[in-house]
Amino acid sequence: MRIKIAMAIILGLMVFSKDVFARDIPRDSTATEEVQPTLKKSWFESIQLRGYAQLRYNRLLETNPDLSCDQCDKSWGDNGGFFFRRIRMIFYGQIHERVYFYIQPDFASGGSNFAQIRDAYFDLGLDQKQEFRLRIGQSKVPFGFENLQSSQNRIPLDRNDGLNSAVANERDIGVMFYYAPSVIRKRFSYLVSSGLKGSGDYGVFGLGLYNGQTANQPDKNNSLHVVSRLTYPFELPSGQIIETSFQGYSGKFVINRNPLTDFDQTEFREYRYGPSFILYPQPFGIQAEFNWGRGPEYDPETNTVNDAPLEGGYVLASYYLQKGKDIFIPFTRYHYYKGGKKHELDATKHRVKELEIGVEWQPHKNFELVAMYTISDRTFEDSLNPDNRQKGSLLRLQAQINF
């Protein structure tokens, strides 16, 4: 029923936007005023390019080479070395007054340095101010502030397990509806361009339908996921900005099962919901999110995958310090997760407690260096490794080039 209601809303919005591509009304042929010809840009002249690259090294002061996080960083742990975490090229542009496109391939996917699409969508403006938009294609699922925040802007090296386990690579294929007043769209833009580490413009209200098997994966059932998010960045008289959000999603997910196991069920209903709170670093900042829900999780005692409760989140504290042209952002984050990771083999059971202490240094806008010390206690168990708890610490480094 939820999916039918959401489909009806989106279809209604598309009908409402029937004049999106309407041609201009011809002038009266009897008009006597002189008409000056207007020079319009061709669509390809509106295309722009930007991007960034991240190089990492994770082996300094490492106490346990068996401690790893495949979803976080495939070079973390044994046999890790210098590693391109991301090489992103972003092609984007306003090719029509109501059509915006965005394509982002990554040339370092999976650590093998091969290309893979991350984003490929276009925004269809439903009104003249484009306060109402439809986003069609592969894009981020609007669930969680840090999930929506670009890795180019995020302070810690990886996203937290608690919310990032909801959508691997944060993306999927579908149709999203976003609404935000023009003044708030400008505020969203400012929170990114000013260096305050905003999440970008995903509307004050978002509602969407998507496949549910995560990015670059074919759909494996006949049902869609539905997601919704409500957020608002309040600006106080002092200029301090505080953003609060609430989001949730629901759907059915098909897990990747070890064929040697004796259980047959692969499709599980899942749902999650939770709040976000962001006090932007002006100069002191706090960022906190949590979510609850249910989903598939491997049980090592019975060697089966069960429907189980899950919960997790994080709190991040940071301080924005500028010395001349240099920017320093010391930070610390604690995050926690108890639940399965549906996209990993057998919906791998995870128990995560992790503390990170670090600093980001920006000598100029085109270069950033992050040093982060991680103290971790991770359990990750599936049918191939049913007894696996790893503890340890390490110093991680990342150099980032922006262009």
Side-chain angles (χ1 to χ4, degrees):
M1 179 61 71
R2 288 189 297 266
I3 293 178
K4 291 181 179 179
I5 293 174
M7 283 288 288
I9 292 174
I10 291 176
L11 289 173
L13 289 167
M14 294 180 74
V15 172
F16 169 74
S17 64
K18 62 183 180 297
D19 64 334
V20 167
F21 293 109
R23 298 183 181 275
D24 295 333
I25 298 174
R27 281 183 172 271
D28 184 351
S29 60
T30 62
T32 57
E33 70 271 26
E34 183 179 356
V35 178
Q36 296 293 335
T38 57
L39 298 177
K40 292 185 177 181
K41 282 186 177 181
S42 299
W43 65 269
F44 53 83
E45 295 180 281
S46 301
I47 296 176
Q48 300 182 64
L49 171 67
R50 62 180 177 85
Y52 66 101
Q54 297 172 338
L55 181 70
R56 291 187 182 178
Y57 188 75
N58 294 316
R59 305 308 301 274
L60 294 176
L61 307 180
E62 184 180 49
T63 63
N64 180 4
D66 293 326
L67 174 68
S68 64
C69 177
D70 188 67
Q71 181 179 352
C72 308
D73 183 342
K74 295 184 186 302
S75 70
W76 179 1
D78 202 18
N79 298 320
F82 287 108
F83 180 85
F84 273 117
R85 179 64 177 88
R86 294 175 178 89
I87 304 175
R88 302 282 175 89
M89 304 281 285
I90 303 166
F91 304 87
Y92 65 101
Q94 194 78 35
I95 57 175
H96 180 275
E97 62 181 3
R98 296 200 190 180
V99 179
Y100 172 85
F101 90 99
Y102 187 100
I103 297 176
Q104 179 180 213
D106 186 357
F107 295 93
S109 299
S112 301
N113 296 341
F114 66 88
Q116 189 178 71
I117 289 294
R118 280 291 176 260
D119 297 279
Y121 65 81
F122 64 89
D123 283 354
L124 181 65
L126 303 182
D127 66 306
Q128 191 65 38
K129 294 183 179 180
Q130 300 194 60
E131 296 181 334
F132 298 85
R133 293 171 289 149
L134 285 179
R135 177 163 293 178
I136 303 171
Q138 180 165 296
S139 67
K140 287 186 176 179
V141 175
F143 182 83
F145 177 88
E146 194 178 72
N147 283 348
L148 294 175
Q149 192 179 36
S150 170
S151 297
Q152 187 176 17
N153 298 326
R154 190 183 62 253
I155 305 175
L157 296 188
D158 299 306
R159 293 181 172 89
N160 71 97
D161 291 72
L163 280 83
N164 196 228
S165 54
V167 188
N169 293 316
E170 306 85 53
R171 296 163 172 86
D172 210 321
I173 297 179
V175 179
M176 308 293 173
F177 164 73
Y178 293 119
Y179 162 73
S182 297
V183 63
I184 302 302
R185 294 200 66 187
K186 292 178 181 178
R187 190 172 300 168
F188 283 137
S189 178
Y190 166 76
L191 289 169
V192 175
S193 62
S194 63
L196 293 178
K197 307 295 185 179
S199 66
D201 183 357
Y202 294 86
V204 167
F205 173 73
L207 174 67
L209 296 172
Y210 61 102
N211 284 344
Q213 289 297 136
T214 71
N216 300 316
Q217 299 292 330
D219 199 15
K220 296 181 179 179
N221 55 25
N222 295 321
S223 64
L224 297 174
H225 277 52
V226 58
V227 63
S228 187
R229 179 174 183 256
L230 182 66
T231 190
Y232 198 88
F234 298 90
E235 184 172 10
L236 305 181
S238 63
Q240 177 72 57
I241 298 177
I242 297 174
E243 185 172 348
T244 58
S245 316
F246 194 85
Q247 52 261 315
Y249 76 84
S250 178
K252 293 181 180 180
F253 187 85
V254 178
I255 66 169
N256 178 22
R257 179 178 70 90
N258 180 351
L260 299 180
T261 56
D262 57 3
F263 60 88
D264 296 324
Q265 184 180 3
T266 57
E267 184 178 77
F268 291 82
R269 178 167 290 281
E270 59 157 340
Y271 67 84
R272 294 193 186 207
Y273 60 90
S276 305
F277 173 85
I278 295 87
L279 173 71
Y280 284 94
Q282 298 168 288
F284 177 71
I286 294 178
Q287 188 174 310
E289 300 188 86
F290 207 85
N291 75 152
W292 300 265
R294 296 189 71 90
E297 179 185 322
Y298 179 73
D299 183 350
E301 294 184 0
T302 61
N303 192 34
T304 59
V305 177
N306 301 319
D307 172 70
L310 58 85
E311 62 179 17
Y314 70 96
V315 60
L316 165 73
S318 63
Y319 193 87
Y320 188 96
L321 178 65
Q322 186 162 4
K323 293 291 186 180
K325 294 184 178 180
D326 293 78
I327 296 173
F328 298 90
I329 307 177
F331 66 92
T332 183
R333 181 179 71 173
Y334 176 79
H335 63 110
Y336 156 83
Y337 181 54
K338 178 183 179 182
K341 287 194 177 180
K342 60 188 180 184
H343 50 273
E344 296 183 0
L345 180 68
D346 298 327
T348 305
K349 172 184 175 180
H350 279 262
R351 302 292 184 266
V352 178
K353 296 179 181 179
E354 196 162 271
L355 175 66
E356 299 155 326
I357 303 169
V359 62
E360 178 181 300
W361 171 48
Q362 303 176 27
H364 48 76
K365 67 178 183 178
N366 297 107
F367 180 78
E368 301 173 14
L369 181 66
V370 176
M372 187 175 82
Y373 189 71
T374 299
I375 304 169
S376 185
D377 180 354
R378 287 178 172 268
T379 297
F380 40 110
E381 299 172 337
D382 56 34
S383 60
L384 299 180
N385 199 356
D387 183 14
N388 185 32
R389 182 179 181 182
Q390 304 294 338
K391 298 181 180 180
S393 58
L394 66 160
L395 178 64
R396 308 176 64 196
L397 302 175
Q398 174 180 281
Q400 176 173 303
I401 298 294
N402 306 307
F403 60 88

